[in-house]
Amino acid sequence: MSATTSNNCTVVTVPALQDNYMYLIIDRESRQAAAVDPVDVDAIQKAAADHDATIATILTTHNHWDHAGGNLKLAAAIPSIRVYGGRGDGVPGCTHEVGDGDAFDVGRKTRVEVLHTPCHTPGHVCYHVDGAHVFTGDTMFVSGAGNLNDGTPAQLTEAFDKILRLPSDTKVWVGHEYTARNCAFACFCEPNNKGMRERLEWARERGSLHTGGKGTVPSTIAEERANNPFARIDEPTVMEFCGMCDDRAERMRLVRKGKDDWSRSN
């Protein structure tokens, strides 16, 4: 488990399942913590104990079982726990439904602001924490994006715009370790982009935290602007990949379709 600090909190990365990421956000002054998408309850509780922290809050990005599947078990173990989830998303055990612009604290000083990012699920939210971190669930991955499911390309475009407006040095903590394949598609999308080829090699060298590697989280907003095809729909090279269409949501659809088509043969 790795730990990263900001003004008021420490973020601990905890791998789960085959490629999921959970996180522990520890308010340093109070040692109270929020567990982000704690599907593996035993592992997240061990992480809290190892870091002398007390879990008081669950931050759920969306309702899928591999993110919200541990909520009820953790709530049973900690009856006073606060469970946050997106409004209308049907998050198991949710005690506090939240929407765009809502804000609350973890512990004494760690501020959490909610970004409503519907698409992957109707009530998907991201959490902007301590002015320094954003937890993006299955909306934004390192060099990638989540499936649309029942959402629309326009929703994904709006969600990415919202996340990408955060400061460039904001650390991006994603829901899955998909980085190497995402970077391979990015190179397919922009074959002459030297930076993307270098990032692919970096991702392959880092490997997955789940299988003994170092993992690829966190990224930053600046790195996603430079290397994520879904964040680059206004760049000439990505516009060319999309056939130079004028509509931004249509370009997002075409990048998503391009990734899906590429994935079926790679």
Side-chain angles (χ1 to χ4, degrees), residues 39-117:
V39 61
D40 185 336
V41 172
D42 293 342
I44 204 73
Q45 288 182 308
K46 182 179 186 304
D50 289 347
H51 289 82
D52 190 29
T54 300
I55 298 174
T57 302
I58 294 173
L59 303 182
T60 309
T61 60
H62 64 291
N63 64 26
H64 288 169
W65 75 269
D66 59 327
H67 295 260
N71 285 10
L72 297 180
K73 180 178 177 180
L74 190 55
I78 309 171
S80 62
I81 202 165
R82 299 182 300 278
V83 182
Y84 291 86
R87 191 166 292 123
D89 210 45
V91 167
C94 187
T95 61
H96 294 70
E97 285 199 332
V98 289
D100 205 51
D102 287 343
F104 53 91
D105 293 325
V106 172
R108 295 195 184 102
K109 290 188 175 179
T110 301
R111 193 67 168 168
V112 179
E113 299 170 334
V114 178
L115 306 178
H116 184 220
T117 54

Side-chain angles (χ1 to χ4, degrees), residues 14-22 66-67 138 141 174-178 208-210:
V14 187
L17 306 178
Q18 183 177 347
D19 51 39
N20 278 70
Y21 279 123
M22 311 181 291
D66 59 327
H67 295 260
D138 283 4
F141 298 131
V174 303
H176 291 270
E177 180 57 67
Y178 293 158
S208 171
L209 197 60
H210 303 71

Side-chain angles (χ1 to χ4, degrees), residues 10 25-33 48 50-56 107-108:
T10 299
I25 303 167
I26 305 170
D27 177 74
R28 285 202 300 280
E29 183 171 311
S30 67
R31 307 307 298 173
Q32 289 192 355
D50 289 347
H51 289 82
D52 190 29
T54 300
I55 298 174
R108 295 195 184 102

